């Protein structure tokens, strides 16, 4: 393997033999180093020739090809899409399985090929090859993937008449960036050297397509923003590689600059910088980032900006410019208009590609789509509310406004970042004085490119116009009218999931447990733990916005996000009125559900409970206190759930029936990973919120949602958090898997079984007792907790304070739990407090005895015996009891298994343990997904029909 040409030249020596020896050693080391980086994919000249020859071979593709070329491509044109990207419409063409599974399918499964369709070699070319446009993206929710597919399809159609232009699409983790950026093929230079860039007479291939245009290599990146302003874990290799290359002393400055502004192709002769428009060898780059302005502005679209800056510092040219400065496109997911913004940016990319084609090809061929024609296409898409926005200005597009201000084929945009390239020198400078030819290799660019300063990044406020000052921008923002919280696109997604949108920021939805209890099939865990009537409970929220993007969110992040209220505000009384009306409307519609009990259906028209846990952060609503007071006046109890990011709002909240704080993680690192909070100080905010619970006189709850493999360990950390608030109750519930989503990395193996939650609760109880016992004399001890209730159907267990909810019989010693709520008593106490704010009341003032069937260890396992358990398709567990190892001990009829059968089952479990290498195995995939293999669970999911 040849040593890379981009390695810094060795210093001269008086002894030629010593110099030769040093060069030999370092060359061998460098070759060994790069061989280690990418031993299997370093492409030699022979391999490149074989690849080009294979592109014209019309027999059969190699075995690694898993799909034919899209039918829209010309038969004789070497364009391809990666095998995994076969959907050109931007739909969900790639599933979220791990790279291991995808590679296994791509390389091991025999491929069936339809010989009636045209096909080409589907291997990826080098991104630095001339006539190659590479679209590389990362995606977690599918947005960037769909954008990349749209751009690919449009470029394919636009360049179809040029047979030697190659468009390729891939994810950023499919390329070895050390190899792609530092190993430059000689064959690529020979292709360029053999062309006549000034010729106006293009040759035609057999189909009449132009084939001698020489397009410089172009790399287009479409990247999302993940936690902390980074790329998602599975795509982190891109930024890591760029950082390492930038800091590696063996890599010469500007390794990507082939003929301009750096060293020549032989790495020895400094060449004067010229206009990049005539450069057909150096890589040109464009970046589009997706982010959310609701997070820290410093991290907004940071991966796209960083990639762009690294590549320009390495010598690449910027494809897009505005007023002499390089441009990065940015889409704001929080604004809800990212589709329109991407269309604007894509129009500018396409206009620039057309301009390059005209410079290096024939402008008189009439085969390309003009800039004006494409702009009209963008206009039609924007005016058709592409992306679902019906805002007044939603139809406007940057590419039509102020066309006279276009710079090099692209216009300025308020959604773009302009990078000041003073130390990149990425500008035309034809009047520059000649460099001193006697300077060393780096003298021509060292002063410009090696300065230790960061480029200036500024926002453009007006589309197609010059940048305004920051003061003017702030003034404009203040005078801007407040927007509605829910965008039309979000409203469509939420309504599709059964939400009834109320006003501009509230919603209500019929809970599945409401429908279950209407049919006599059991109530929710709140019915078991606290005695609510599930079919009289309204699930609602006055704020659809949330300050977290939890990985386990069952709403799949279709709601807005924000750290503070910045939207229009509806009247709280109108919200309550409309919510009740919508809820009763859905109750009326439920009459047609088979099995609905008439008496319950009639009672359900009177709302008695409100669970403020639908979606979003209810406590973020500035008028939440008035909202709660209105519910209480209507004799509706209130169960409010908050994620613990607004401690001040918790502190000033009026007394409510039950106040929850979600405790989703035992450590700051786990909280960052599982909640993905917008606040930088999310951990401190959570602790402050829990401390506020300590001073509340009413019932408070620490709510733990357990995601197996994510936050199910470090129980001691949970105990310390609970101890901060002296919480009245601790609910521990297994996460409910709501299906695969692009917005979540969860799978079914992350859902705990009920016995696992029970084991976790017992351990948590012991840790709390340790803290209590370790408290020195004279200091306040934390309360004693006991296991009070369970609801197996919901995989939920309740810990309760002994001093508030337990009564021990002094004679028998038997404990009686009182976790249920006397709702009439609470409403009476709440009314007194409303009339006289100085009046206070406590938890014990409205408790009620818990029925025996709801207690932990009861035969009913938390299922109300007045209802009937319904099983789908008459499926029953094949085994009903298990030993400590998970081996079944009783069959489906609760009859003990004989010794022979149990021995046989145990041997099967031992075999399973040997297969996975341990009793429990957690496999972290590149996608961020965690797959859990647990031998002790192999028999628990088995069913039998009765």
């Amino acid at each position: 393997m040849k040593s890379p040409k981009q390695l810094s030249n060795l210093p001269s020596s008086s002894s030629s033999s010593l110099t030769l020896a040093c060069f030999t050693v370092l060359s061998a080391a460098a070759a060994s180093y790069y061989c280690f980086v990418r031993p299997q994919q370093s492409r030699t000249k022979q391999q490149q020739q074989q690849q080009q020859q294979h592109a014209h071979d019309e027999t059969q593709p190699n075995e690694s090809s898993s799909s034919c070329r899209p039918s829209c491509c010309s038969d004789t044109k070497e364009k391809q899409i990666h095998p995994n990207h076969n959907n050109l419409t931007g739909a969900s063409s790639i599933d979220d399985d791990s790279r291991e599974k995808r590679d296994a399918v791509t390389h091991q499964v025999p491929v069936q090929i339809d010989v009636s369709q045209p096909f080409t070699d589907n291997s990826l070319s080098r991104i630095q090859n001339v006539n190659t446009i590479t679209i590389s993206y990362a995606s977690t929710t599918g947005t960037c993937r769909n954008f990349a597919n749209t751009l690919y399809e449009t470029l394919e159609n636009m360049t179809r008449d040029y047979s030697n232009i190659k468009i390729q699409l891939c994810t950023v983790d499919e390329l070895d960036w050390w190899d792609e950026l530092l190993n430059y093929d000689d064959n690529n230079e020979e292709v360029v050297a053999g062309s006549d860039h000034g010729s106006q007479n293009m040759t035609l291939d057999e189909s009449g397509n132009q084939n001698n245009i020489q397009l410089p290599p172009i790399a287009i990146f479409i990247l999302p923003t993940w936690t902390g302003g980074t790329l998602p874990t599975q795509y982190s290799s891109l930024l890591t590689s760029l950082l390492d290359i930038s800091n590696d002393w063996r890599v010469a400055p500007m390794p990507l600059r082939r003929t301009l502004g750096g060293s020549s192709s032989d790495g020895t002769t400094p060449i004067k910088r010229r206009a990049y428009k005539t450069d057909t060898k150096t890589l040109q780059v464009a970046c589009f980032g997706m982010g959310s302005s609701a997070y820290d502005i410093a991290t907004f679209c940071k991966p796209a900006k960083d990639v762009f800056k690294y590549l320009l510092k390495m010598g690449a040219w910027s494809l897009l410019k505005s007023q002499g400065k390089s441009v990065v496109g940015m889409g704001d997911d929080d604004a809800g208009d990212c589709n329109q913004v991407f269309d604007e940016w894509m129009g500018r990319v396409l206009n620039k590609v057309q301009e390059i084609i005209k410079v290096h090809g024939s402008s008189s061929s009439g085969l390309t789509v003009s800039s004006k024609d494409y702009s009209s296409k963008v206009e039609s898409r924007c005016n058709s509310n592409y992306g679902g926005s019906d805002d007044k200005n939603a139809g406007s597009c940057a590419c039509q406004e102020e066309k006279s201000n276009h710079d090099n084929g692209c216009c300025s945009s308020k959604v773009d970042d302009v990078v000041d390239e003073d130390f990149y020198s990425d500008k035309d400078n034809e009047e520059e004085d000649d460099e001193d030819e006697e300077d060393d290799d780096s003298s021509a660019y060292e002063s410009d490119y090696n300065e230790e300063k960061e480029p200036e990044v500024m926002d453009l406020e007006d589309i197609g116009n010059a940048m305004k000052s920051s003061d003017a921008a702030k003034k404009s923002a203040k005078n801007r009218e407040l927007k509605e919280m829910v965008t039309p696109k979000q409203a469509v997604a939420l309504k599709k999931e059964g939400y009834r949108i109320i006003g501009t920021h509230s919603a209500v939805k019929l809970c599945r447990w409401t429908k279950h209890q209407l049919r006599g099939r059991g109530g929710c865990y709140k019915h078991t733990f606290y005695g609510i009537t599930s079919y009289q409970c309204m699930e609602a929220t006055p704020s659809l916005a949330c300050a977290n993007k939890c990985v386990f969110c069952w709403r799949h992040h279709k709601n807005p996000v924000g750290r503070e209220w910045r939207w229009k505000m509806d009247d709280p009384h109108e919200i309550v009125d409309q919510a009740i009306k919508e809820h009763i409307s859905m109750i009326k519609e439920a009459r047609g559900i088979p099995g609905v009990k008439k008496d319950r259906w009639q009672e359900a028209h009177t709302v008695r409970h409100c669970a403020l846990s639908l979606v979003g952060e209810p406590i973020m609503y500035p008028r939440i206190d008035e909202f709660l007071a209105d519910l209480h006046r209507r004799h509706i109890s209130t169960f409010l759930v908050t994620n613990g990011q607004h401690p001040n709002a918790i502190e000033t909240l009026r007394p409510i029936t039950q106040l929850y704080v979600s405790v989703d993680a035992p450590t700051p690192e786990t909280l960052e990973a599982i909640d993905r909070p917008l606040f930088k100080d999310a951990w401190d905010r959570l602790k402050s919120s829990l401390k506020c619970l300590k001073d509340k006189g009413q019932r408070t709850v620490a709510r733990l949602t357990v995601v197996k493999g994510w936050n199910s360990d470090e129980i001691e950390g949970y105990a310390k958090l609970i101890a901060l608030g002296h919480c009245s109750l601790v609910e521990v519930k297994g996460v409910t898997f709501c299906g695969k989503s692009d917005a979540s990395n969860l799978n079914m193996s992350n859902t705990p079984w009920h016995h696992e939650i029970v084991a976790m609760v017992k351990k948590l109880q012991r840790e709390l007792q340790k803290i209590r016992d370790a408290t020195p004399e004279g200091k306040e001890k934390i309360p004693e907790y006991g296991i009070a209730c369970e609801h197996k159907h919901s995989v939920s267990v309740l810990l309760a304070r002994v001093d508030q909810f337990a009564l021990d019989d002094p004679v028998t010693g038997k404990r009686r739990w009182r976790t249920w709520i006397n709702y009439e008593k609470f409403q009476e106490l709440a009314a007194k407090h409303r009339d006289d704010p100085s009046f206070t009341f406590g938890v014990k003032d409205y408790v009620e005895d818990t029925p025996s069937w709801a207690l932990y260890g009861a035969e009913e396992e938390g299922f109300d015996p007045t209802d009937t358990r319904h099983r789908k398709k008459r499926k029953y567990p094949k085994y009903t009891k298990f030993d400590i190892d998970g081996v079944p001990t009783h069959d489906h009829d609760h009859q003990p298994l004989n010794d022979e059968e149990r021995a046989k089952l145990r041997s099967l479990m031992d075999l399973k343990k040997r297969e996975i290498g341990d009793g429990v195995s957690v496999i972290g995939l590149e996608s961020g997904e965690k797959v859990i293999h647990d031998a002790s669970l192999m028999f628990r999911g088995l069913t039998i029909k009765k």
Side-chain angles (χ1 to χ4, degrees):
M1 179 184 294
K2 297 179 293 183
S3 60
K5 297 178 180 179
Q6 290 74 17
L7 293 178
S8 302
N9 293 326
L10 294 172
S12 60
S13 172
S14 58
S15 172
S16 59
S17 60
L18 178 59
T19 302
L20 179 60
C22 293
F23 180 81
T24 303
V25 172
L26 285 179
S27 297
S32 175
Y33 174 78
Y34 282 97
C35 188
F36 171 76
V37 172
R38 193 174 182 178
Q40 296 180 348
Q41 299 189 37
S42 182
R43 306 172 190 172
T44 63
K45 182 184 297 186
Q46 181 180 1
Q47 290 172 323
Q48 190 73 14
Q49 292 172 347
Q50 291 175 352
Q51 177 180 326
Q52 291 181 347
Q53 180 180 359
H54 196 79
H56 299 285
D57 185 359
E58 298 189 5
T59 57
Q60 180 172 325
N62 58 27
E63 294 181 359
S64 65
S65 299
S66 61
S67 65
C68 296
R69 184 179 54 181
S71 59
C72 65
C73 301
S74 170
D75 291 15
T76 59
K77 182 178 179 182
E78 187 187 359
K79 289 183 183 177
Q80 82 278 6
I81 188 169
H82 191 273
N84 293 306
H85 303 272
N86 51 16
N87 187 338
L88 301 182
T89 63
S92 183
S93 61
I94 310 170
D95 60 29
D96 291 321
D97 288 339
S98 67
R99 292 272 303 158
E100 291 181 0
K101 295 179 180 178
R102 185 171 66 179
D103 290 344
V105 172
T106 304
H107 298 294
Q108 296 178 11
V109 178
V111 180
Q112 295 182 353
I113 301 175
D114 183 1
V115 295
S116 64
Q117 298 294 330
F119 52 82
T120 63
D121 177 33
N122 280 342
S123 62
L124 292 172
S125 296
R126 285 192 174 279
I127 66 170
Q128 294 194 72
N129 281 3
V130 295
N131 298 331
T132 300
I133 300 178
T134 304
I135 304 169
S136 189
Y137 71 93
S139 184
T140 54
T141 65
T143 301
C144 291
R145 177 183 65 210
N146 293 342
F147 285 164
N149 281 327
T150 300
L151 179 59
Y152 171 85
E153 183 183 23
T154 310
L155 280 171
E156 273 280 340
N157 292 331
M158 192 186 78
T159 61
R160 182 180 299 175
D161 295 311
Y162 298 94
S163 60
N164 64 338
I165 296 179
K166 181 178 184 179
I167 316 295
Q168 58 186 16
L169 179 66
C170 65
T171 57
V172 298
D173 61 327
E174 293 179 42
L175 297 175
D176 184 330
W177 294 100
W178 275 86
D179 186 31
E180 293 292 340
L181 299 176
L182 297 185
N183 292 336
Y184 186 69
D185 290 334
D186 290 338
N187 182 68
N188 189 37
E189 295 183 2
E190 293 173 3
V191 172
V192 178
S195 63
D196 182 5
H197 302 305
S199 175
Q200 296 296 314
N201 298 319
M202 293 183 143
T203 62
L204 303 178
D205 60 18
E206 295 178 357
S207 301
N209 293 334
Q210 305 175 54
N211 63 4
N212 75 335
I213 187 171
Q214 297 301 330
L215 195 71
I218 297 175
I220 303 172
F221 296 86
I222 303 177
L223 305 172
T225 307
W226 207 239
T227 304
T230 61
L231 283 174
T233 305
Q234 64 270 34
Y235 303 112
S236 60
S237 60
L238 172 59
L239 278 173
T240 302
S241 298
L242 292 176
L243 176 63
D244 291 344
I245 293 173
S246 299
N247 295 330
D248 197 313
W249 63 272
R250 295 166 297 183
V251 180
M254 308 219 25
L256 295 179
R257 192 62 58 88
R258 298 299 163 204
T259 59
L260 306 175
S263 59
S264 60
S265 60
D266 61 5
T268 58
T269 307
I271 296 179
K272 174 181 169 60
R273 279 170 282 180
R274 295 176 289 142
Y276 73 97
K277 294 181 180 180
T278 60
D279 185 357
T280 59
K281 296 182 180 181
T282 300
L283 183 70
Q284 298 198 21
V285 297
C287 288
F288 185 87
M290 275 298 300
S292 173
S293 58
Y295 284 82
D296 185 4
I297 193 63
T299 64
F300 181 63
C301 297
K302 190 173 184 295
K305 297 177 188 177
D306 288 347
V307 169
F308 190 65
K309 292 175 183 178
Y310 277 128
L311 291 174
L312 263 59
K313 190 173 182 180
M314 293 169 66
W317 295 119
S318 174
L319 182 67
L320 299 182
K321 290 196 172 192
S322 178
Q323 307 202 356
K325 297 183 178 181
S326 302
V327 175
V328 176
M330 298 188 298
D332 186 359
D333 185 61
D334 190 57
D337 60 351
C338 56
N339 288 305
Q340 175 192 342
V341 171
F342 176 77
D343 273 350
E344 297 170 7
W345 176 84
M346 183 175 70
R348 295 155 68 178
V349 169
L350 296 172
N351 289 337
K352 190 62 180 178
V353 172
Q354 291 174 106
E355 178 184 334
I356 294 175
I357 291 176
K358 290 178 182 178
V359 170
H360 298 289
S362 172
S363 60
S364 60
S365 64
L367 294 177
T368 61
V369 182
S370 67
S371 300
K372 181 177 181 180
D373 288 342
Y374 182 75
S375 295
S376 65
K377 293 181 182 180
V378 174
E379 180 180 11
S380 66
R381 293 180 71 179
C382 292
N383 287 334
S384 63
N385 277 334
Y386 184 72
S389 176
D390 63 359
D391 190 77
K392 290 182 180 180
N393 299 324
S396 65
C397 177
C399 296
Q400 290 100 52
E401 300 180 17
E402 302 289 335
K403 288 186 174 64
S404 61
N405 289 328
H406 285 199
D407 181 39
N408 289 342
C410 67
C411 54
S412 303
S413 171
K414 66 181 180 180
V415 299
D416 291 336
D417 258 16
V418 177
V419 182
D420 191 346
E421 302 298 341
D422 286 343
F423 89 102
Y424 296 142
S425 296
D426 200 1
K427 303 176 183 178
D428 296 347
N429 192 4
E430 297 179 359
E431 298 179 2
E432 182 182 6
D433 294 331
D434 291 341
E435 303 281 345
D436 185 356
E437 294 182 359
E438 295 181 359
D439 289 345
D440 59 31
D441 294 351
S442 62
S443 63
Y445 48 80
E446 190 173 81
S447 61
D448 290 321
Y449 297 95
N450 289 346
E451 294 181 14
E452 294 295 331
K453 75 172 187 176
E454 285 294 324
E456 180 183 0
V457 179
M458 295 175 287
D459 289 334
L460 290 176
E461 292 296 325
D462 283 339
I463 297 177
N465 295 327
M467 290 179 294
K468 292 183 177 181
S469 67
S470 59
D471 292 339
K474 292 178 181 178
K475 184 177 179 181
S476 175
K478 289 181 179 178
N479 295 332
R480 193 179 301 129
E481 183 182 358
L482 291 175
K483 296 181 179 180
E484 296 183 356
M485 177 186 290
V486 182
T487 66
K489 182 179 179 180
Q490 290 170 332
V492 170
L494 290 168
K495 289 176 181 178
K496 188 176 180 181
E497 299 232 349
Y499 291 82
R500 299 286 182 92
I501 307 298
I502 301 168
T504 63
H505 54 75
S506 307
V508 65
K509 185 181 181 182
L510 199 63
C511 176
R512 70 182 183 97
W513 289 108
T514 299
K515 292 180 281 187
H516 276 327
Q517 202 172 41
L518 279 173
R519 303 168 76 182
R521 295 183 175 182
C524 67
Y525 79 90
K526 289 188 183 73
H527 173 64
T528 299
F529 294 174
Y530 315 121
I532 77 164
T533 307
S534 298
Y535 59 78
Q536 290 184 297
C537 181
M538 175 178 70
E539 194 173 23
T541 181
S543 171
L544 284 162
C546 187
N548 288 349
K549 285 191 172 183
C550 305
V551 298
F552 57 80
C553 182
W554 60 327
R555 308 306 181 188
H556 298 319
H557 310 140
K558 293 180 173 64
N559 57 304
V561 293
R563 287 175 291 182
E564 59 184 12
W565 194 272
R566 62 179 188 279
W567 304 277
K568 291 180 178 179
M569 193 185 308
D570 298 332
D571 182 80
H573 308 295
E574 293 179 1
I575 296 174
V576 174
D577 276 335
Q578 191 62 29
I580 293 175
K581 290 178 182 178
E582 292 290 347
H583 177 79
I584 293 176
S585 173
M586 290 185 285
I587 290 293
K588 291 179 178 179
E589 294 173 2
R591 184 176 185 178
I593 299 176
V596 168
K597 295 181 179 294
K598 186 176 180 180
D599 57 337
R600 293 188 177 186
W601 179 78
Q602 291 174 340
E603 292 176 7
H605 286 71
T606 302
V607 178
R608 283 288 172 253
H609 315 283
C610 182
L612 296 168
S613 58
L614 177 62
V615 69
E617 177 56 88
I619 209 168
M620 186 189 292
Y621 177 46
R623 301 180 69 179
I624 184 64
D625 212 55
E626 299 173 67
F627 178 85
L628 295 168
D630 196 340
L631 289 171
H632 292 165
R633 274 193 294 268
R634 300 169 190 257
H635 284 256
I636 298 175
S637 66
T638 48
F639 293 78
L640 188 150
V641 181
T642 172
N643 57 30
Q645 296 301 294
H646 302 275
N648 293 335
I650 293 175
E651 188 175 7
T652 59
L653 194 69
R654 70 170 49 242
I656 63 174
T657 311
Q658 195 154 283
L659 175 61
Y660 291 74
V661 170
S662 295
V663 182
D664 300 327
T667 65
E669 296 77 17
T670 310
L671 184 74
E672 186 78 16
I674 198 165
D675 275 3
R676 296 185 293 189
L678 272 64
F679 287 105
K680 284 185 175 180
D681 57 343
W683 179 253
D684 293 332
R685 286 175 171 269
L686 174 61
K687 292 195 297 182
S688 297
S689 297
L690 289 169
K691 290 177 182 177
C692 290
L693 297 185
K694 184 178 179 181
D695 299 326
K696 291 289 181 182
Q698 294 73 47
R699 299 162 69 111
T700 58
V701 185
R703 170 71 178 271
L704 280 62
T705 300
V706 181
V707 186
K708 197 175 176 181
W710 287 77
N711 64 353
S712 54
D713 299 325
E714 302 182 61
I715 308 302
E716 182 182 356
Y718 283 115
K720 291 179 180 179
L721 290 174
I722 295 168
L724 292 176
H726 290 204
C727 303
S728 303
L729 303 155
V730 181
E731 289 180 8
V732 184
K733 184 182 185 301
V735 67
T736 300
F737 181 65
C738 299
K740 193 64 180 175
S741 166
D742 287 330
S744 174
N745 292 326
L746 301 189
N747 56 70
M748 196 62 187
S749 71
N750 301 132
T751 301
W753 288 77
H754 184 66
H755 74 280
E756 294 176 307
I757 294 298
V758 170
M760 179 178 176
V761 169
K762 289 181 178 179
K763 187 174 181 180
L764 177 60
Q765 183 187 20
R766 291 194 296 269
E767 292 296 333
L768 287 167
Q769 189 61 39
K770 286 181 182 179
I771 296 176
R772 176 179 169 84
D773 295 340
T775 304
E777 291 292 336
K779 291 190 176 181
E780 184 182 11
K781 291 188 175 184
I782 70 168
E784 178 186 354
Y785 290 87
I787 304 178
C789 305
E790 66 176 331
H791 189 242
K792 187 176 182 180
H793 200 165
S794 295
V795 194
S796 303
V797 180
L798 180 68
L799 276 174
R801 281 177 56 166
V802 172
D803 61 323
Q804 292 180 339
F805 300 101
L807 289 177
D808 293 334
D809 191 306
V811 178
T812 63
K814 188 175 181 180
R815 177 166 290 177
R816 179 162 55 100
W817 287 103
R818 309 190 73 204
T819 62
W820 276 35
I821 299 172
N822 186 329
Y823 294 100
E824 290 301 323
K825 185 64 176 179
F826 168 78
Q827 296 298 348
E828 178 185 332
L829 297 170
K832 287 184 178 181
H833 176 79
R834 181 177 64 246
D835 298 336
D836 181 10
S838 64
F839 172 77
T840 60
F841 58 97
V843 174
K844 294 182 179 180
D845 295 331
Y846 57 103
V847 295
E848 196 169 275
D849 287 349
T850 308
S852 60
W853 58 264
L855 297 176
Y856 170 71
E859 184 180 352
E860 294 85 356
E861 297 176 320
F863 188 86
D864 192 336
T866 61
D867 291 329
T868 303
R869 179 72 181 268
H870 175 77
R871 298 184 182 275
K872 293 182 179 180
K873 299 180 181 179
R874 297 179 297 149
K875 288 184 177 181
Y876 290 80
K878 186 174 182 180
Y879 303 106
T880 53
K881 291 185 180 181
F882 304 83
D883 63 17
I884 192 172
D885 297 323
V887 177
T889 60
H890 291 69
D891 65 11
H892 61 280
D893 286 327
H894 300 276
Q895 298 300 315
L897 298 176
N898 58 49
D899 293 341
E900 182 180 354
E901 182 67 18
R902 292 180 63 180
K904 180 179 178 182
L905 295 174
R906 183 170 292 279
S907 64
L908 291 174
M909 180 176 288
D910 291 339
L911 179 61
K912 181 69 174 179
K913 289 180 178 180
R914 288 195 294 270
E915 287 179 358
I916 65 177
D918 198 355
V920 180
S921 175
V922 180
I923 301 176
L925 305 181
E926 290 184 2
S927 62
E929 189 175 351
K930 297 180 181 180
V931 180
I932 301 173
H933 300 281
D934 191 341
S936 68
L937 303 177
M938 62 182 296
F939 299 115
R940 290 186 179 269
L942 302 179
T943 59
I944 188 172
K945 285 188 177 182
K946 287 188 179 180

